[in-house]
Amino acid sequence: MSARKSTTGSKPASTKSRITSKQATRSKAAKHNGKVHTIGSYLVQRLQDYGVTDLFGIPGDFVLQFYGMLEESPIRVVGTTREDNAGYAADGYARVHGLGAVCVTYCVGGLSLCNSIAGAYAEKSPVIVISGAPGMSERATDPLLHHRVKDFHTQRDVFEKITVATALLDDPMTAFLEIDRCLEACVRFKRPVYLELPRDCVHKQAVIPHVPDDSQPVSDSNALRESLAEAKELIEASKKPVIIAGVEVHRFGLREEVLGFAEKFKIPMCATILGKSVVSESHPLYLGVYEGAMGRSEVQKYVEESDCVILLGTFMTDINLGIYTAHLDPGKCIYATSEKLRISYHHFHDVIFSDFVTALEKQKMKVVTRKIPDNVRPQQLEFKVKPAQPVTTKHLFESINQILTDETVVVTDVGDCLFGAVDLMINTHTKFLSPAYYTSMGFAIPASLGAQVANQNLRPIVLVGDGAFQMTCLELSTALKLGFNPIVIVLNNKGYTTERFLQEGPFNDIPDWKYHNITDLIGGGWGFEVSTEGDLEKAIKAALANKDSLSVINVHLKPTDVSPALTRLAEIGRASCRE
C-alpha cells in the first residue's frame, strides 16, 4: 500500500439542525406582519420557515441580486464546482435533512441541473430549484441576451417536465402565492419544484399584505375507512403476511409507524434497494433486501410465497423488482404509496399515504405469526484478512461492513458499488443513500457533500466506481474547503464493468487515473493505493483515524471480478436481450 498525505482544510462549521420529511415548520402570520416583503426577501423567509438552513449553487449575473440577499440571511450558501453537482448535493441534503435547495443562474446554470433534478424527481427527493433570469424589462424588444436558448421561457418549459410545480415570479400580485404553492407542493409530494426569478423582480414589493396559507389536505373519511376495512380483511385471512418497506417510508417520516405496525402484529419485513435502511437491518423482524432474482434467493422465496404482501411506500421499478424477475400476485397485495392505494384489485382515491399508514398501525387485528427461518435473515459471516491476497469485490464489501457504525452514512454510486452494497448491514435508520432507480453515474461524491452539510455528525463512506469518480470527483475540493472527512472508496476495475457484462467492447474502457493522487490536486486529504487485503486493512484503519480531513482509497480490482448481484443482473440482461 502506498499512502499520500497533504494538508487539511479548515475546521467544520457548526452542525445544522435537521427537519423531518413528515413535518416541515410552517410560518405563522405574525412572523410576516409589520414587514413589507419583496419577492426575493419573501422567498428567503419562506425557505427558512420550511427549515432550509443551507443552499447549494453557483452564482451568475442573472441571480447575483438574490445571492446578495442570501448572503445577508442566516442561510448558508455552499458553492460547488458544477451546477449538476449542486443538484446532487441538494438531493443528498434533502434525503438527510428533509428538504433541499439549489440556486443557479439562467440556462447555462439551470439546464446544467437537469440531470440531477430529474433524478431527484424520479426518486422523490424534495429539492427547491431557484434560477435567476433576465429581467422582464430586458425582454421587451426580444433581444438575443447571453445564456438565452430559443425563447425566454425555454428553461421553464424544460423544468415543467422534471418538477412537480413551476412558477415565474414576475408579478408582485401573484409571486407570493406562487412561492407558497410551489414550496407546499415540494413538501407534500416529495419532488422538486422550480422557481424562476427575473433579476428586476427581486426587489419588487408586495402590493397587498400576504399571509401564508398553512391549510393541509385531508383524506376522504369514507375512502380511508373502507380501505382500512379491506386491508384488515386481507391481512387477517392470510397465513403468511410480509411487509415490503420502500423509500417513501423515509421521505414521509413514517418509520416509527411502520415499525410499530410490524412489531404490534409480528409481521416480517424487508426493504427495497432504493429504500434500504428505512428500518434497521438488525431488527429481529427484518429479512433483507427484496429485489427479485437479483437478491438472495431465500428472501425472494419467502416474500413470493406470501399470501399477503403489504407494500408501503414502495416504487415498483425495474431495479426494485430485479429487472422484473419479481413474482408478486396483485390479488394478494396491499400497495400504498403517496400516489396510489390499491388493495387486491380495488383502487381507493383521496386517501393520504401517511393517514393510511398511521391508521393501519392502530387497527385491531388477529394476525398469524409467521416464522422466519434462520437462513432467511441476513447472515453475519466470519471475516478474515489474508494480507498477501489480491483484493476481491467480495472481500472489499466484507471489509466495509466491519466499519459501519451509527455515525456513518453509506453513499453509493451506481454499478457494482450499488449492487455489492445491498448486503451491507445498515443498523440505523436512513444511513444508506443511492440513486437506485434513476441510476445516474456521478451521484455519490456530491451527494455525500450534501449529506454531511445536512448532518455533520455523520461521516460518509462513499462507494464509487472509477467511471463515476471521473465525472464528479472535483467536488471533493468543496468537502476539503468545509473541513469534511468522507472516506471515498474507488472501485477501480478499469472501466464500465456493468456494461461489460451486458455488451463487451472498447467503449467500456476508460483512462486509468491515479485516483489517490487527487489529494495533491485539491491541496489536502490523504490518498491510498490498494492492491492486497493487507493494503486495504491498513488504508481503512488510517482513513478512519484521519478524522479531520477526507481520504481517498484507490482499490485495484480485476475487470471481471464482480459482486454476485451483478452476475445475476448480467445473466438476466443477456437473457432479455436474446428474447
Side-chain angles (χ1 to χ4, degrees), residues 466-505:
D466 46 355
F469 185 92
Q470 291 187 13
M471 292 182 177
T472 56
C473 62
L474 291 182
E475 216 53 64
L476 289 173
S477 65
T478 308
L480 183 72
K481 177 180 67 177
L482 297 174
F484 289 171
N485 59 358
I487 298 175
V488 180
I489 300 175
V490 184
L491 280 70
N492 181 3
N493 43 26
K494 317 301 186 294
Y496 302 132
T497 298
T498 306
E499 281 77 5
R500 288 192 197 282
F501 275 71
L502 297 173
Q503 180 68 51
E504 181 58 286

Side-chain angles (χ1 to χ4, degrees), residues 142-266:
D142 200 28
L144 295 177
L145 291 179
H146 63 287
H147 300 340
R148 177 178 169 179
V149 180
K150 198 176 180 180
D151 303 313
F152 282 110
H153 55 76
T154 297
Q155 177 174 275
R156 187 155 44 96
D157 290 345
V158 171
F159 273 93
E160 281 183 350
K161 305 296 185 182
I162 56 174
T163 60
V164 74
T166 67
L168 173 63
L169 307 179
D170 63 335
D171 185 348
M173 287 292 292
T174 60
F176 299 85
L177 283 170
E178 288 289 82
I179 290 170
D180 290 345
R181 176 180 67 85
C182 288
L183 297 190
E184 185 59 34
C186 189
V187 170
R188 179 181 174 186
F189 296 105
K190 309 304 178 190
R191 279 190 160 134
V193 295
Y194 173 81
L195 297 170
E196 187 171 299
L197 181 56
R199 61 178 167 185
D200 62 356
C201 296
V202 174
H203 295 292
K204 284 188 176 181
Q205 291 188 342
V207 177
I208 56 175
H210 174 75
V211 176
D213 180 4
D214 291 339
S215 61
Q216 297 297 302
V218 295
S219 295
D220 180 284
S221 58
N222 293 323
L224 177 60
R225 182 183 65 254
E226 292 196 12
S227 65
L228 290 168
E230 190 159 326
K232 176 181 177 180
E233 182 180 354
L234 189 60
I235 294 170
E236 285 191 320
S238 69
K239 293 182 172 57
K240 298 179 178 180
V242 68
I243 296 169
I244 300 180
V247 70
E248 283 194 334
V249 172
H250 164 57
R251 299 287 192 264
F252 288 89
L254 294 169
R255 169 181 172 266
E256 293 300 329
E257 287 80 355
V258 171
L259 276 177
F261 171 61
E263 291 170 350
K264 180 179 181 179
F265 300 109
K266 297 181 174 57

Side-chain angles (χ1 to χ4, degrees), residues 227-516:
S227 65
L228 290 168
E230 190 159 326
K232 176 181 177 180
E233 182 180 354
L234 189 60
I235 294 170
E236 285 191 320
S238 69
K239 293 182 172 57
K240 298 179 178 180
V242 68
I243 296 169
I244 300 180
V247 70
E248 283 194 334
V249 172
H250 164 57
R251 299 287 192 264
F252 288 89
L254 294 169
R255 169 181 172 266
E256 293 300 329
E257 287 80 355
V258 171
L259 276 177
F261 171 61
E263 291 170 350
K264 180 179 181 179
F265 300 109
K266 297 181 174 57
I267 303 175
M269 54 187 173
C270 57
T272 62
I273 188 170
L274 184 61
K276 183 177 170 68
S277 83
V278 294
V279 295
S280 170
E281 299 186 352
S282 61
H283 194 284
L285 290 172
Y286 182 73
L287 306 171
V289 172
Y290 173 73
E291 48 178 344
M294 283 172 55
R296 290 190 297 115
S297 60
E298 296 87 357
V299 175
Q300 181 186 13
K301 181 180 179 182
Y302 190 91
V303 171
E304 294 179 1
E305 286 181 348
S306 174
D307 54 359
C308 181
V309 181
I310 307 164
L311 299 111
L312 302 177
T314 299
F315 288 171
M316 305 302 281
T317 71
D318 59 344
I319 302 296
N320 277 343
L321 297 177
I323 315 301
Y324 299 122
T325 58
H327 300 289
L328 300 176
D329 181 355
K332 299 177 181 178
C333 289
I334 297 170
Y335 182 49
T337 70
S338 64
E339 297 177 359
K340 68 172 63 177
L341 174 58
R342 189 189 72 226
I343 301 173
S344 187
Y345 293 103
H346 297 166
H347 293 259
F348 295 86
H349 303 286
D350 300 320
V351 177
I352 294 172
F353 176 55
S354 57
D355 289 347
F356 179 79
V357 173
T358 301
L360 193 62
E361 178 197 7
K362 297 176 181 178
Q363 294 298 296
K364 294 181 179 179
M365 294 185 285
K366 294 181 179 179
V367 182
V368 172
T369 300
R370 187 180 180 188
K371 183 180 179 181
I372 304 176
D374 292 338
N375 68 329
V376 174
R377 295 197 72 250
Q379 303 297 308
Q380 291 283 9
L381 302 176
E382 185 180 0
F383 177 71
K384 293 182 179 180
V385 175
K386 299 177 182 178
Q389 185 82 11
V391 178
T392 63
T393 302
K394 180 175 181 292
H395 179 83
L396 173 61
F397 282 98
E398 288 174 350
S399 299
I400 295 168
N401 215 31
Q402 309 304 309
I403 65 172
L404 302 181
T405 68
D406 291 354
E407 286 71 45
T408 54
V409 55
V410 175
V411 187
T412 180
D413 222 286
V414 302
D416 210 21
C417 51
L418 172 61
F419 299 125
V422 168
D423 293 326
L424 293 177
M425 284 288 292
I426 312 295
N427 293 322
T428 48
H429 175 46
T430 316
K431 298 297 179 63
F432 183 88
L433 308 182
S434 76
Y437 168 38
Y438 189 62
T439 57
S440 177
M441 290 177 65
F443 168 88
I445 289 176
S448 72
L449 172 72
Q452 202 162 16
V453 169
N455 184 352
Q456 203 166 315
N457 292 325
L458 293 178
R459 188 171 194 186
I461 307 297
V462 185
L463 309 178
V464 58
D466 46 355
F469 185 92
Q470 291 187 13
M471 292 182 177
T472 56
C473 62
L474 291 182
E475 216 53 64
L476 289 173
S477 65
T478 308
L480 183 72
K481 177 180 67 177
L482 297 174
F484 289 171
N485 59 358
I487 298 175
V488 180
I489 300 175
V490 184
L491 280 70
N492 181 3
N493 43 26
K494 317 301 186 294
Y496 302 132
T497 298
T498 306
E499 281 77 5
R500 288 192 197 282
F501 275 71
L502 297 173
Q503 180 68 51
E504 181 58 286
F507 41 78
N508 292 319
D509 299 332
I510 63 173
D512 184 15
W513 290 8
K514 301 292 184 183
Y515 300 102
H516 50 290

Side-chain angles (χ1 to χ4, degrees), residues 13-75:
S14 60
T15 302
K16 299 291 181 178
S17 61
R18 181 188 182 277
I19 63 171
T20 67
S21 57
K22 180 170 66 174
Q23 181 177 342
T25 304
R26 271 75 171 187
S27 64
K28 300 301 179 185
K31 182 176 287 189
H32 300 277
N33 288 344
K35 179 178 180 180
V36 179
H37 272 293
T38 64
I39 295 175
S41 69
Y42 185 75
L43 178 52
V44 171
Q45 181 62 60
R46 292 301 277 155
L47 290 173
Q48 294 176 77
D49 293 342
Y50 276 88
V52 175
T53 54
D54 307 271
L55 175 148
F56 302 86
I58 295 177
D61 58 344
F62 288 119
V63 77
L64 287 179
Q65 292 184 60
F66 185 66
Y67 257 72
M69 284 187 169
L70 289 169
E71 187 65 29
E72 295 173 358
S73 79
I75 297 174

